[in-house]
């Protein structure tokens, strides 16, 4: 598998693809080839043009210049439907499944198996799905409801959907972003099985470790251009990161030992219900001291979201006590909590953290708009707001032509920097950072990590919630592992290995208790 | 990438692009009006009328003479004020279909203040307007409170409150045992007593029948006040933020339920003031079928202006002008008033469903987030 495979036939080729959007060249003469039975990793930061390129290959966009050849034949993919016909399938980062339908129904949706032209033949569909499952080691029950499946299984359904439509080329868009380390290992195994049976894969990611693990070849994109092509044998994490960013990057944050002070955040017996009224947080005890970083590790959907919402006042807890800086804030309003010196980097920045249609100025004062000097009485002081925004943009290196452009025109990384700038420049006692670097580029990650550590060193208590174990390991002084609404372990960083933490995150070890 | 990709503007010289950026929000409404007029002309032609004569009549009847202009202005005043109210709701992500009911609620309060109290005009007129404002605000706040407290959708509740307001007004006017608001001196029993002279708005008579009353000045003042309120005050910022992204508003410490109630009340307040203007400036009494759809036309005006307060001034004048000019248009081209109504309906269709206009004229989509305010009201938000 690791041989270069130059002799294998080329199944997909892109030649000089250029795609322009106003003010941006998303793809600039991008060329790449995919050979039969290989995993081609497409590596690049957010905004590097990976998604645009894939959307062109998949027929969602049309290129301005260049051509695409499938099995040597030039094509004009004008819709995803055409692409599917030509054997190109895509597994999106956000699954396109109907939760209330069964696996079989989801798989055949749009391509139904019928009897007599009108009656669904779900039994035959289920049989076909079982065949695919067995052939590629994609374990899933065709009769199960999608809503009942875990994320890993939902992803397998997505892959089966593509295989069911006879895809020979599979595009996997950030497939590991939502998986536990163990699920990610399973996915790697599936990818190997697929390639061994002649399928060809394009694997889009920004995680360097995975690329080195599964790819046969690696193409690196930066600012819309192919800046290099390499193989795992020739590359290292550091060299890949440097190619992605265009300069060398510190992958490990440097930090000194913590000097914890008095407890700032104390949580006792916290129970929180989610939107479906289920107990998402079930008796959590936590303590974060001034000058330390507590990292909460866990696979998404194990109650971290609801925990953070309860701590920041966005959700009223069912039971338990939250104390911040000595004051009872159980069920307090977001404003009261914020005024106690609590900053919150929300996990979904586009939903909570910025108003994308607002200019940077308004976003820079999103929680401070009513305070001096940004308002006098109820009248806003636009000049003061603009000055503040300009200062934040400068100080935190938010890349933008002006503070008077809508936040939607910023890249994900720059939106996040704007949020970090806004939150970090307040007078802080406690910082709650949920997924602080999700979906942003390596350069911005480095910057934000350093800022978080600087806050810790200034004596701020920091709670970091992240689904990325690497991030937890890089930042935390102590690590708490959350599983099914409970904290299943709290350890000093370094006490447990990656693998041991991964097992705890997956629920192993809870049985012994 | 996805965000950066959404906005597409036509490429071209920088100067052209700057002008386009500046005026592009006007493009769709203007083209919508234009397209509707073209289709209207086609329809007039098909029904055997003379479209040119019809449109000349429309122009002369609405803006062609001082009297026509005065008529148009008087006619437009309630559309402008009421349209502002609907727009304030849209800004907060609320679809207030209840302007009609809020008009009645305001007008009833004005009639009470105008018939019961005896005051000098300098007090009576402001008091009448305040009564109208409070009546409309209170009526709309009911829907706001229901939404804030229970999540009940304002569209359904404002429609129901419309029925209640209209029927209640009807009863208040027509009840004869005892007379409540009805005028015993009026044989038909279909209107309230006239308000006192001291509560009538001053104005300039134009021609024999038209009184260009103070209302338009109030409307213009409210337009600029609303614009200032939305852009320059913290409360306006809260309202807009709750409308465009309720999650971010909550995150920012804004009380979304309180903002909903406030926005509904402000929205209804405008409708109430519009009702006050009609009672105090035009009819001096209230009929049960007085407003006949004004509150719904106000939604159209707000949409035509894309909820921009300054735009509403012009959209309201256009709306009033179309209605005022319809009479002469009818006479000149021998048309039915229905044609005007159809042209109006076409305008709204083209503006509200701007994809149609964008498709016809190949105008690229607007940026994400730009039009959330209008579309949001329809959802389950």
């Amino acid at each position: 598998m690791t041989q270069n495979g130059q002799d294998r036939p080329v199944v997909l080729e892109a030649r000089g693809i250029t795609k322009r959007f106003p003010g941006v060249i998303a793809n600039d003469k991008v060329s790449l080839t995919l050979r039969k039975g290989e995993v081609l990793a497409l590596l690049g930061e957010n905004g590097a043009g990976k998604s645009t390129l894939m959307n062109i290959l998949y027929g969602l966009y049309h290129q301005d210049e260049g051509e695409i050849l499938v099995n040597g034949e030039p094509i004009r993919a004008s819709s995803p439907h055409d692409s599917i016909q030509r054997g190109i399938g895509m597994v999106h980062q956000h699954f396109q499944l109907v939760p209330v339908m069964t696996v079989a129904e989801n798989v055949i949706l749009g391509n139904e198996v019928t009897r007599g032209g009108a009656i669904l033949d779900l039994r035959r569909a289920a049989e076909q799905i079982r065949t695919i499952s067995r052939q590629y080691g994609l374990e899933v029950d065709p009769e199960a409801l999608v809503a009942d499946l875990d994320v890993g299984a939902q992803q397998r359904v997505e892959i089966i959907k593509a295989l069911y439509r006879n895809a020979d080329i599979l595009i996997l868009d950030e497939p590991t972003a939502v998986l536990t380390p163990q699920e990610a290992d399973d996915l790697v195994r599936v990818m190997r099985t697929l390639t061994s049976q002649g399928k060809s894969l394009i694997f889009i990611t920004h995680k360097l470790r995975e690329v080195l693990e599964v790819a046969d070849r690696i193409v690196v994109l930066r600012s819309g251009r192919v800046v290099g092509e390499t193989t795992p044998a020739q590359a290292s994490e550091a060299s890949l990161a440097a190619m992605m960013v265009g300069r060398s990057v510190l992958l490990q944050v440097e930090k000194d030992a913590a000097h914890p002070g008095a407890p700032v955040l104390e949580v006792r017996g916290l129970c929180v219900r989610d939107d479906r009224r289920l107990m998402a947080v079930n008796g959590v005890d936590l303590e974060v001291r001034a000058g330390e970083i507590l990292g909460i590790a866990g696979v998404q959907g194990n109650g971290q979201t609801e925990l953070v919402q309860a701590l920041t006042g966005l959700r009223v807890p069912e039971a338990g006590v939250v104390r911040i800086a000595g004051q009872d804030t159980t069920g307090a309003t977001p404003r009261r909590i914020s005024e106690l010196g609590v900053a919150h980097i929300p996990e979904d920045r586009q939903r909570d953290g910025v108003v994308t249609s607002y200019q940077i100025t308004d976003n820079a004062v999103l929680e401070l708009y009513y305070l001096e000097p940004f308002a006098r009485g109820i009248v806003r002081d636009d000049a003061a707001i603009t000055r503040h925004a300009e200062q934040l943009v400068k100080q935190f290196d938010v890349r933008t032509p002006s503070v008077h452009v809508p936040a939607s025109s910023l890249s994900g990384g720059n939106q996040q920097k704007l949020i970090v700038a806004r939150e970090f420049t307040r007078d802080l006692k406690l910082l709650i950072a949920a997924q602080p670097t999700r979906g942003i580029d390596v350069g911005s990650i480095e910057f934000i990590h350093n800022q978080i550590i600087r806050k810790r060193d200034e004596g701020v208590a920091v709670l970091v919630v992240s689904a990325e174990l690497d991030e937890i390991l890089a930042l935390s002084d102590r690590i708490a592992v959350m599983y099914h609404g409970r904290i299943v372990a709290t350890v000093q960083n370094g006490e447990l290995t990656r693998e041991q933490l991964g097992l705890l995150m997956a629920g192993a070890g809870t049985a012994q208790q | 990438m996805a965000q950066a990709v959404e906005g597409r503007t036509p490429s071209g010289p920088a100067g052209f692009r700057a002008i386009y950026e500046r005026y592009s929000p006007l493009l769709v409404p203007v083209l919508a009006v234009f397209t509707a007029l073209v289709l209207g002309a086609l329809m007039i032609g098909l029904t055997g009328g003379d479209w040119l004569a019809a449109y000349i009549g429309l122009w002369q009847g609405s803006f062609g003479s001082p009297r026509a202009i005065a008529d148009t202005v008087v006619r437009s005043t309630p559309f402008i004020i009421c349209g502002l109210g609907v727009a304030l709701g849209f800004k907060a992500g609320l679809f207030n279909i209840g302007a009609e009911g809020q008009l009645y609620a305001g007008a009833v309060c004005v009639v009470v203040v105008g018939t019961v109290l005896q005051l000098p005009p300098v007090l009576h007129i402001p008091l009448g307007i305040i009564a109208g404002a409070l009546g409309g605000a209170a009526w709309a706040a009911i829907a706001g409170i229901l939404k804030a407290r229970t999540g009940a959708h304002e569209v359904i509740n404002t429609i129901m409150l419309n029925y209640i307001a209209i029927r209640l007004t009807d009863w208040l006017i027509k009840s004869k045992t005892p007379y409540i608001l009805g005028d015993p001196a009026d044989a038909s029993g279909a209107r309230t007593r006239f308000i006192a002279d001291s509560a009538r708005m001053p104005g300039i008579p134009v021609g024999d029948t038209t009184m260009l009353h103070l209302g338009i000045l109030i409307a213009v003042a409210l337009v600029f006040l609303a614009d200032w309120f939305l852009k320059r005050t913290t409360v306006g910022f809260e309202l807009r933020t709750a409308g465009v992204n309720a999650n971010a508003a909550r995150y920012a410490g804004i009380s979304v339920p309180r903002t909903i109630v406030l926005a509904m009340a402000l929205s209804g307040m405008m409708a109430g003031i519009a009702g006050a203007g009609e009672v105090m400036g035009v009819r001096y009494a209230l009929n049960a079928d007085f407003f006949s759809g004004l509150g719904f036309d106000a939604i159209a005006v707000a949409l035509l202006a894309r909820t921009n307060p300054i735009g509403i001034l012009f959209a309201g004048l256009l709306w009033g002008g179309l209605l005022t000019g319809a009479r002469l248009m009818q006479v000149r081209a021998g048309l039915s008033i229905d044609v005007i109504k159809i042209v109006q309906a076409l305008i709204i269709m083209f503006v509200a469903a701007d994809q149609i206009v964008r498709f016809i004229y190949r105008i690229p989509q607007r940026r994400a987030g730009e039009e959330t305010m209008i579309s949001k009201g329809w959802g389950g938000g």
Side-chain angles (χ1 to χ4, degrees):
Chain A
M1 195 174 303
T2 41
Q3 87 256 33
N4 239 334
Q6 292 295 347
D7 49 332
R8 292 193 219 156
V10 171
V11 289
L12 178 71
E13 187 176 1
R15 284 187 192 157
I17 300 288
T18 298
K19 177 75 186 171
R20 293 183 199 89
F21 292 112
V24 208
I25 301 182
N27 285 158
D28 188 3
K29 301 193 186 68
V30 173
S31 298
L32 56 82
T33 54
L34 176 69
R35 291 173 188 279
K36 191 173 170 65
E38 75 169 352
V39 177
L40 175 69
L42 192 60
L43 187 65
E45 300 190 296
N46 275 62
K50 294 173 301 197
S51 301
T52 305
L53 181 61
M54 287 310 114
N55 285 330
I56 289 170
L57 293 180
Y58 191 55
L60 285 167
Y61 294 155
H62 201 270
Q63 70 269 29
D64 298 328
E65 285 164 31
E67 58 177 351
I68 297 164
L69 295 89
V70 176
N71 296 320
E73 242 179 84
I75 58 156
R76 267 182 69 95
S78 51
S79 75
H81 186 75
D82 286 0
S83 306
I84 293 162
Q85 296 275 302
R86 294 199 174 80
I88 302 176
M90 185 154 176
V91 175
H92 294 268
Q93 193 175 355
H94 303 285
F95 302 148
Q96 326 262 310
L97 298 171
V98 186
V100 295
M101 288 187 171
T102 65
V103 170
E105 286 168 333
N106 267 285
V107 169
I108 64 171
L109 197 63
N111 207 354
E112 291 86 357
V113 198
T114 52
R115 265 181 316 199
I119 301 154
L120 274 184
D121 191 348
L122 280 172
R123 195 168 313 152
R124 197 146 64 87
E127 210 36 63
Q128 291 174 347
I129 291 164
R130 283 203 189 88
T131 311
I132 295 171
S133 290
R134 270 196 300 275
Q135 191 181 349
Y136 299 101
L138 288 157
E139 198 183 308
V140 70
D141 173 12
E143 265 106 43
L145 277 185
V146 164
D148 297 336
L149 299 180
D150 62 30
V151 176
Q154 292 189 12
Q155 189 170 56
R156 291 196 288 277
V157 176
E158 282 283 7
I159 297 173
I160 290 173
K161 253 168 75 181
L163 295 173
Y164 178 81
R165 287 162 176 72
N166 297 317
D168 288 317
I169 299 164
L170 267 176
I171 301 170
L172 305 170
D173 188 6
E174 303 266 1
T176 56
V178 288
L179 303 181
T180 63
Q182 278 75 14
E183 285 174 325
D185 289 345
D186 286 342
L187 178 67
V188 168
R189 216 166 304 133
V190 167
M191 289 169 71
R192 295 248 157 83
T193 315
L194 287 167
T195 49
S196 72
Q197 302 201 20
K199 304 288 182 194
S200 314
L201 308 181
I202 298 181
F203 173 47
I204 303 172
T205 186
H206 61 262
K207 291 190 193 170
L208 307 169
R209 207 158 36 75
E210 288 168 359
V211 168
L212 293 174
E213 204 177 314
V214 295
D216 294 309
R217 282 188 305 125
I218 303 164
V219 168
V220 184
L221 278 185
R222 188 172 76 229
S223 318
R225 288 198 195 113
V226 174
V227 292
E229 193 176 328
T230 179
T231 63
Q234 295 162 348
S236 67
E237 286 194 30
S239 72
L240 288 176
M243 271 166 101
M244 268 167 77
V245 185
R247 62 179 168 83
S248 63
V249 177
L250 285 175
L251 288 173
Q252 196 61 40
V253 219
E254 285 178 48
K255 65 176 175 63
D256 302 325
H259 303 289
V264 176
L265 173 67
E266 296 160 277
V267 178
R268 294 281 167 266
L270 190 69
C271 296
V272 189
R273 287 186 192 276
D274 64 13
D275 289 336
R276 292 177 297 168
R277 306 292 302 148
L278 302 174
M279 203 62 88
V281 177
N282 206 344
V284 161
D285 297 322
L286 279 180
E287 186 180 88
V288 188
R289 292 170 174 273
E292 74 161 353
I293 300 176
L294 174 69
I296 296 194
V299 182
Q300 267 176 58
N302 275 288
Q304 301 98 315
T305 304
E306 290 77 11
L307 172 65
V308 169
Q309 287 175 337
L311 298 182
T312 52
L314 292 171
R315 196 177 277 273
V316 178
E318 192 75 11
V321 179
V322 180
R323 295 174 71 79
I324 294 172
Q327 299 207 36
D328 188 344
T329 60
T330 319
T333 61
R335 176 148 298 168
R336 171 148 176 259
I337 292 170
S338 161
E339 286 179 345
L340 283 173
V342 178
H344 175 199
I345 301 179
E347 64 170 25
D348 188 337
R349 65 177 160 264
Q350 305 228 339
R351 198 191 64 185
D352 300 327
V354 290
V355 177
T356 49
S357 58
Y358 279 3
Q359 295 183 353
I360 291 175
T361 46
D362 282 343
N363 277 300
V365 293
L366 198 59
E367 313 111 315
L368 304 175
Y369 66 92
Y370 63 100
L371 297 172
E372 294 253 5
F374 309 122
R376 235 161 286 136
I378 64 157
V379 182
R380 281 152 54 90
D381 184 340
D382 286 336
I385 293 170
T386 302
R387 269 198 305 278
H388 181 66
E390 278 168 349
Q391 201 195 331
L392 292 188
V393 161
K394 206 168 125 200
Q395 197 181 335
F396 285 77
D397 190 31
V398 180
R399 308 274 168 83
T400 174
S402 145
V403 294
H404 296 293
V405 299
S408 58
S409 69
L410 299 180
S411 72
N414 280 306
Q415 285 179 3
Q416 192 73 349
K417 279 199 227 167
L418 176 62
I419 294 172
V420 167
R422 181 181 73 211
E423 298 302 311
F424 282 29
T425 47
R426 294 161 51 196
D427 197 11
L428 290 191
K429 290 199 182 72
L430 171 65
L431 167 63
I432 298 174
Q435 320 291 353
T437 59
R438 172 172 351 188
I440 66 178
D441 53 280
V442 178
S444 303
I445 291 174
E446 185 189 21
F447 180 84
I448 288 171
H449 280 179
N450 282 326
Q451 293 294 329
I452 290 175
I453 287 169
R454 187 193 284 184
K455 278 288 151 195
R456 179 201 74 167
D457 292 342
E458 286 170 14
V460 174
V462 182
L463 181 72
V464 173
V465 178
S466 179
E468 303 259 2
L469 195 46
D470 289 330
E471 176 159 63
I472 295 288
L473 287 166
L475 286 176
S476 309
D477 300 311
R478 288 189 301 130
I479 298 173
V481 180
M482 198 161 176
Y483 177 72
H484 276 200
R486 296 173 197 276
I487 301 291
V488 292
T490 308
V491 296
Q492 292 292 323
N493 191 357
E495 263 180 58
L496 295 180
T497 62
R498 254 190 83 77
E499 288 65 34
Q500 287 169 318
L501 288 168
L503 285 171
L504 286 170
M505 284 163 65
T510 43
Q512 292 108 290
Q513 287 188 338
Chain B
M1 194 75 256
Q3 288 83 47
V5 154
E6 305 264 313
R8 291 179 209 177
T9 43
S11 47
F16 170 73
R17 188 180 298 174
I19 292 167
Y20 177 85
E21 291 278 331
R22 179 105 175 69
Y23 294 104
S24 66
L26 286 176
L27 201 58
V28 169
V30 168
L31 287 175
V33 172
F34 173 74
T35 314
L37 288 175
V38 169
L39 282 179
L42 261 169
M43 230 180 46
I44 295 167
L46 284 175
T47 52
D50 177 351
W51 68 271
L52 192 62
Y55 281 158
I56 291 171
L58 178 63
W59 172 256
Q60 288 180 347
S62 54
F63 293 99
S65 67
R67 210 197 108 190
I69 293 175
D71 274 339
T72 294
V73 166
V74 171
R75 193 83 188 249
S76 303
T77 303
F79 291 126
I80 295 168
I81 302 177
C82 209
L84 273 179
V86 176
L88 281 174
F90 275 134
K91 290 284 187 198
L94 298 167
F95 195 173
N96 177 13
I97 306 192
E100 187 84 355
Q102 293 143 22
L103 278 163
Y104 279 101
V108 165
C109 294
V110 173
V111 169
V112 171
V113 168
T115 53
V116 173
L117 298 180
Q118 297 295 328
L119 290 167
V122 68
L123 288 177
H124 213 168
I125 292 169
L127 203 65
I129 295 169
I130 291 168
L134 290 179
W139 199 251
I142 297 172
I145 291 166
L146 286 173
K147 170 144 186 155
R149 281 284 169 84
T150 68
H153 205 289
E154 74 278 6
V155 166
I156 293 168
N157 287 325
T158 49
I159 292 175
M160 293 308 137
L161 284 166
N162 280 345
Y163 290 130
I164 298 172
I166 293 166
R167 294 297 148 214
L168 201 60
T169 310
D170 204 40
W171 174 75
L172 287 171
I173 293 172
K174 288 181 181 162
S175 164
K176 292 203 166 66
T177 47
Y179 278 98
I180 303 173
L181 294 179
D183 188 351
D186 175 40
S188 71
R191 62 163 174 80
T192 64
R193 284 186 291 274
F194 284 108
I195 58 171
D197 283 345
S198 57
R200 296 181 185 187
M201 277 199 201
I204 309 158
V206 183
D208 318 324
T209 52
T210 305
M211 174 68 100
L212 185 56
H213 65 87
L214 192 62
I216 186 63
L217 294 182
I218 295 173
V220 172
L222 286 174
V223 161
F224 287 100
L225 190 67
D227 194 51
W228 176 83
F229 167 78
L230 285 169
K231 284 188 189 147
R232 297 295 315 278
T233 69
T234 55
V235 188
F237 181 75
E238 289 174 354
L239 199 140
R240 286 188 288 131
T241 308
V244 77
N245 185 342
N247 285 312
R250 269 155 42 86
Y251 165 86
I254 295 165
S255 167
V256 175
R258 211 189 62 191
T259 308
I260 287 173
V261 176
L262 179 76
M264 277 308 285
L266 286 175
S267 182
M269 183 187 87
M270 291 290 184
I273 294 173
E278 289 307 281
V279 172
M280 295 164 66
V282 182
R283 303 266 193 105
Y284 311 127
L286 177 62
N287 296 54
D289 58 352
F290 193 38
F291 300 116
S292 62
L294 198 161
F296 297 105
D297 285 1
I299 298 170
V301 169
L303 286 175
L304 185 58
R306 302 209 137 266
T307 72
N308 177 315
I310 311 290
I312 284 168
L313 190 57
F314 296 98
L317 282 169
L318 175 73
W319 205 257
L322 282 172
L323 286 175
T324 312
R327 257 173 294 157
L328 198 57
M329 181 179 183
Q330 213 178 340
V331 175
R332 290 283 175 82
L335 283 171
S336 124
I337 185 90
D338 297 329
V339 174
I340 289 291
K341 293 279 180 192
I342 290 170
V343 171
Q344 283 184 333
L346 287 171
I347 292 175
I348 290 317
M349 263 172 61
F350 286 127
V351 173
D354 71 344
Q355 278 82 358
I356 308 173
V357 170
R358 287 174 188 279
F359 175 76
I360 297 174
Y361 297 97
R362 304 275 185 276
I363 304 171
Q365 272 306 322
R366 42 186 52 228
R367 286 190 184 88
E370 223 181 310
E371 62 186 338
T372 44
M373 265 127 21
I374 291 170
S375 52
K376 253 198 80 169
W378 297 91

